[in-house]
Amino acid sequence: MRSAALTGGLQSRIGWRTVKLVQMKANLNQPGKHVDLNDYIVTDREILGGEPVFRGTRVPVVSLFEHLESECPLDEFLENFPSVTRETAVAVLMGAQELAQELARR
């Protein structure tokens, strides 16, 4: 349920950019396709003591979820952390949604 709410909130916060999100989801909904979070997230003891960060940045992944949880729009997060691309942020959210759905099925 939380992941459905997250997706709905995400869509309303990015407005016209929803089309891009829908396209990304359509690509991922093909059989055998899914978000590989390792493409977008890295943990390295040398970077923030091993806290998961967006690949190629020093931005903790948890900061994305904290922004959204405090009802900040995705655009605001991206303005605050310009080294994180929209594509990366959306892919991480979609990957989290996949994980939540997978756990709910167990």
Side-chain angles (χ1 to χ4, degrees):
M1 173 123 165
R2 172 107 170 119
S3 61
L6 179 64
T7 303
L10 176 64
Q11 288 179 351
S12 65
R13 289 188 182 115
I14 63 176
W16 64 270
R17 292 185 180 109
T18 301
V19 172
K20 179 71 173 172
L21 176 62
V22 169
Q23 289 171 339
M24 289 178 73
K25 278 187 169 184
N27 290 338
L28 290 170
N29 286 335
Q30 295 173 8
K33 294 238 180 174
H34 65 89
V35 174
D36 184 355
L37 289 175
N38 290 317
D39 291 342
Y40 302 99
I41 298 172
V42 65
T43 56
D44 181 337
R45 287 186 205 185
E46 301 297 317
I47 303 172
L48 297 179
E51 185 173 349
V53 297
F54 290 97
R55 186 173 291 282
T57 76
R58 297 181 65 82
V59 179
V61 173
V62 70
S63 62
L64 171 61
F65 294 97
E66 289 171 345
H67 269 72
L68 295 175
E69 186 176 4
S70 66
E71 298 186 15
C72 290
L74 181 59
D75 285 335
E76 185 175 326
F77 170 79
L78 296 170
E79 288 172 17
N80 291 337
F81 300 99
S83 60
V84 179
T85 66
R86 178 175 303 279
E87 178 182 348
T88 297
V90 170
V92 167
L93 291 170
M94 290 170 54
Q97 179 182 13
E98 286 178 5
L99 287 172
Q101 289 172 339
E102 183 179 316
L103 290 172
R105 286 189 282 259
R106 291 183 185 176

